[in-house]
Amino acid sequence: MPLPWAPRHTRLDFRLTFPTISRLCGRTRLGYASRRTNDRREIHQPMLSERALSRIVHNRAARTLELAPSTRTRVPGPKPGMRYMLYMHVPFCARLCPYCSFNRYPYHEEIARPYFEHMRKEMHMLADLGYDFESIYIGGGTPTIMMDELIQTIDDARATFHIKEVSCETNPNHLAPEYIEQLEGRVQRLSVGVQSFDDTLLKQMDRYWKYGSGDEILELIDTAAPHFDALNVDMIFNFPSQTEEILERDLAKIKQCHCQQVTFSPLYVSHATTRKMEETLGKMDYDREQRYYQMVDEALTGGSDPAFERCTLWTFNRLDPASGQAEDENLMVDEYAVAYEEYPAIGSGSIAHLDGTLFVNTFSIQEYNEAIDEGRMPLMGEAHLSAHDLECYDFLIQLYHLRFDKRAFEKRFGKSVERALPTELAFLRLNRAFATDNDAELTLTPMGRYLTLVMYRQFLSGMNELRDQARAALSGPEHELLFGDGSPA
């Protein structure tokens, strides 16, 4: 599932984390060394351990978010001249993975079919408000779990809006010809959740029996890839039981296969999923995360003849062997917030960012359907974002996209980034995070990319905590967050 807009407490945590770390930067227990040269203090490259940094960020991000109840029946209308995309959430899965805390439910046709119908009605509510969309991202859950309803929804959206591209998530077992034939032409970017090609890991995650062996999945990818502008393979690194050898084999298979894009994100969890994940996969080890990230980056982009180029912090686009250029430089990515400042979202558990406010749809499918039947949007809560929250988020998301545009930031917020975020910049400069640092832009060094990864990983973990809290507001059987064996978190 891609990232909806972040919760308020996550952005505040991001803001507060930098001063906290900055105060610790000179302490030897975090591995900083210094010496005097020509009466000037020279700060050496920091040796901040992954574990210490992860702990600091996690502790700050653990604050509880309290959404204010929403009394609105509609989200705000569109702003003139602003480009919008639409996020759709399909929460149903055949089985539930032990590490996932997105809003998802075991699939039952009698529940899923009316859900799709209500989601299309919510989409038309946005059209009535004057929205038009150039792009759609369909996440889950497993959007392709009910193909006739999915196809009807995509066709309805294309008939209603000026859609240029559709990105849709799926699972490996849905790369079969009967699925591909219906998706081809309707979906431009298909993102398949593989996570790993290692059979032992797949069995631990309860994915082997659902989706096949690593070699079978690889064959399905190669068969499906030519039918889309981009087939993205969604991988995860730093599983507790993942060794360097397993990661190396995964990287070799990614380079071997014919996918046009790969997303290699670090594992991040929430309180609700931690116990079940530890039972099935083991305890997290953030101390090796930087090494694993370096392995991913070097394997895909390193050497004299790299197979991929960086698109974002952990999304990589395949290079054409003949030209050495990206096969398509304009591919969508899972973290669609890098391309759109604001966007509506529909479906149970979706989160929209509009007009400086987060609008959270109810996580209850029953309440969701009832709200649509009553002619109102199914909003369960909202949180207003301060100007500084938005500045922090813009800073983080631009760094995630590997380049920070100082002039665009100043145009948007009416102040320079130096004035808006002096402590954040000081911390990153102290850590030699910037390869380019001039009046126009910031770009990242390898250390800068890793520090941004830690921040963004914890940012996503904070989103998982928000989902836990939103689900806690439910009552009855929907309250329980279920996993692969049907046990509550």
Side-chain angles (χ1 to χ4, degrees):
M1 162 85 183
L3 174 68
W5 235 78
R8 176 172 55 191
H9 82 286
T10 304
R11 263 180 305 289
L12 291 174
D13 292 334
F14 169 65
R15 181 180 65 200
L16 295 172
T17 294
F18 277 114
T20 302
I21 298 176
S22 298
R23 288 195 296 270
L24 297 173
C25 281
R27 301 183 184 180
T28 55
R29 70 185 178 89
L30 289 185
Y32 278 85
S34 62
R35 60 182 173 87
R36 288 191 176 274
T37 304
N38 297 327
D39 295 325
R40 297 179 64 186
R41 188 172 234 6
E42 179 181 345
I43 304 297
H44 286 181
Q45 178 70 29
M47 296 175 287
L48 187 63
S49 73
E50 299 98 328
R51 181 174 297 174
L53 181 58
S54 296
R55 184 172 62 249
I56 293 169
V57 178
H58 174 79
N59 289 342
R60 287 291 174 177
R63 298 176 183 270
T64 301
L65 170 68
E66 294 184 3
L67 289 172
S70 180
T71 59
R72 301 181 64 113
T73 60
R74 294 287 191 277
V75 295
K79 297 177 180 178
M82 180 169 282
R83 297 165 51 244
Y84 290 99
M85 61 83 62
L86 175 63
Y87 175 76
M88 299 180 178
H89 189 70
V90 179
F92 305 106
C93 291
R95 295 290 297 276
L96 307 182
C97 296
Y99 50 82
C100 178
S101 64
F102 289 98
N103 191 35
R104 76 277 202 284
Y105 289 90
Y107 170 72
H108 297 285
E109 181 179 350
E110 66 275 14
I111 298 175
R113 193 169 296 282
Y115 175 86
F116 272 98
E117 179 184 354
H118 285 86
M119 190 169 65
R120 290 192 291 271
K121 290 180 179 179
E122 187 183 11
M123 180 177 69
H124 283 279
M125 290 180 181
L126 292 174
D128 292 341
L129 289 175
Y131 279 98
D132 194 9
F133 304 108
E134 62 180 34
S135 178
I136 293 176
Y137 193 105
I138 311 171
T142 308
T144 52
I145 200 164
M146 201 168 194
M147 282 297 295
D148 60 334
E149 291 289 344
L150 175 65
I151 295 306
Q152 184 177 346
T153 303
I154 294 174
D155 289 349
D156 191 359
R158 287 191 176 276
T160 305
F161 308 108
H162 294 87
I163 305 297
K164 297 178 182 178
E165 58 187 359
V166 174
S167 182
C168 182
E169 296 178 356
T170 192
N171 281 322
N173 59 325
H174 291 172
L175 296 180
E178 60 269 25
Y179 290 83
I180 300 304
E181 290 173 2
Q182 298 180 75
L183 294 172
E184 186 174 10
R186 289 185 170 93
V187 170
Q188 284 63 55
R189 178 182 179 273
L190 190 66
S191 182
V192 54
V194 173
Q195 322 313 354
S196 175
F197 292 103
D198 183 78
D199 289 346
T200 299
L201 268 179
L202 292 174
K203 290 175 182 177
Q204 288 179 330
M205 292 184 282
D206 194 25
R207 296 178 67 88
Y208 181 89
W209 295 276
K210 290 187 288 185
Y211 307 134
S213 68
D215 287 340
E216 290 170 334
I217 293 171
L218 192 66
E219 184 177 347
L220 288 170
I221 290 171
D222 287 346
T223 301
H227 297 275
F228 301 93
D229 293 349
L231 190 143
N232 174 76
V233 176
D234 191 3
M235 303 288 287
I236 294 176
F237 70 89
N238 204 28
F239 282 111
S241 53
Q242 185 181 46
T243 64
E244 290 190 16
E245 291 73 22
I246 290 174
L247 181 57
E248 287 173 350
R249 291 196 296 269
D250 278 350
L251 288 163
K253 289 185 176 180
I254 285 294
K255 295 169 72 174
Q256 169 192 340
C257 78
H258 295 103
C259 70
Q260 297 93 336
Q261 187 183 71
V262 60
T263 300
F264 243 112
S265 59
L267 180 65
Y268 51 91
V269 295
S270 70
H271 290 308
T273 59
T274 296
R275 179 183 62 81
K276 187 62 181 179
M277 190 208 67
E278 289 182 350
E279 289 177 357
T280 57
L281 300 175
K283 291 187 176 182
M284 290 288 297
D285 181 4
Y286 291 110
D287 203 37
R288 65 185 187 179
E289 181 183 62
Q290 183 178 14
R291 184 171 73 256
Y292 278 28
Y293 181 58
Q294 289 173 337
M295 289 175 60
V296 170
D297 190 74
E298 290 172 4
L300 298 179
T301 69
S304 58
D305 188 23
F308 291 83
E309 70 173 5
R310 298 181 201 96
C311 174
T312 69
L313 201 64
W314 56 58
T315 300
F316 304 85
N317 291 344
R318 187 178 294 276
L319 296 172
D320 185 332
S323 66
Q325 302 297 314
E327 294 181 355
D328 187 343
E329 296 180 352
N330 299 311
L331 299 180
M332 292 179 70
V333 297
D334 282 355
E335 289 74 25
Y336 44 78
V338 301
Y340 296 89
E341 292 182 12
E342 299 184 0
Y343 50 84
I346 61 175
S348 174
S350 65
I351 303 174
H353 167 234
L354 296 168
D355 200 21
T357 301
L358 302 177
F359 295 96
V360 182
N361 271 0
T362 178
F363 277 51
S364 165
I365 292 178
Q366 179 179 344
E367 293 176 3
Y368 176 83
N369 292 344
E370 289 173 353
I372 300 298
D373 286 337
E374 293 171 4
R376 57 184 175 86
M377 289 184 171
L379 301 171
M380 61 82 66
E382 58 184 73
H384 179 71
L385 306 173
S386 72
H388 196 72
D389 291 338
L390 295 172
E391 291 165 358
C392 290
Y393 181 74
D394 185 83
F395 184 66
L396 177 59
I397 206 70
Q398 285 203 57
L399 289 181
Y400 171 82
H401 208 228
L402 305 177
R403 178 183 179 272
F404 180 82
D405 188 327
K406 291 185 176 181
R407 291 167 182 164
F409 181 94
E410 186 167 1
K411 181 178 180 180
R412 180 180 179 188
F413 296 106
K415 65 179 77 172
S416 69
V417 67
E418 307 282 350
R419 179 183 166 198
L421 305 171
T423 307
E424 289 84 341
L425 287 173
F427 168 71
L428 289 172
R429 284 169 176 153
L430 181 65
N431 282 273
R432 298 184 180 179
F434 300 128
T436 305
D437 186 353
N438 56 35
D439 292 341
E441 66 177 359
L442 300 169
T443 62
L444 297 170
T445 62
M447 175 59 74
R449 289 196 296 272
Y450 177 63
L451 291 175
T452 305
L453 177 143
V454 171
M455 295 296 174
Y456 201 66
R457 178 251 293 158
Q458 194 55 54
F459 179 86
L460 297 180
S461 183
M463 277 300 304
N464 282 348
E465 301 295 345
L466 172 65
R467 296 184 183 99
D468 291 348
Q469 295 159 32
R471 188 180 291 270
L474 301 176
S475 60
E478 289 185 324
H479 176 80
E480 301 300 333
L481 178 59
L482 301 178
F483 294 93
D485 62 358
S487 64

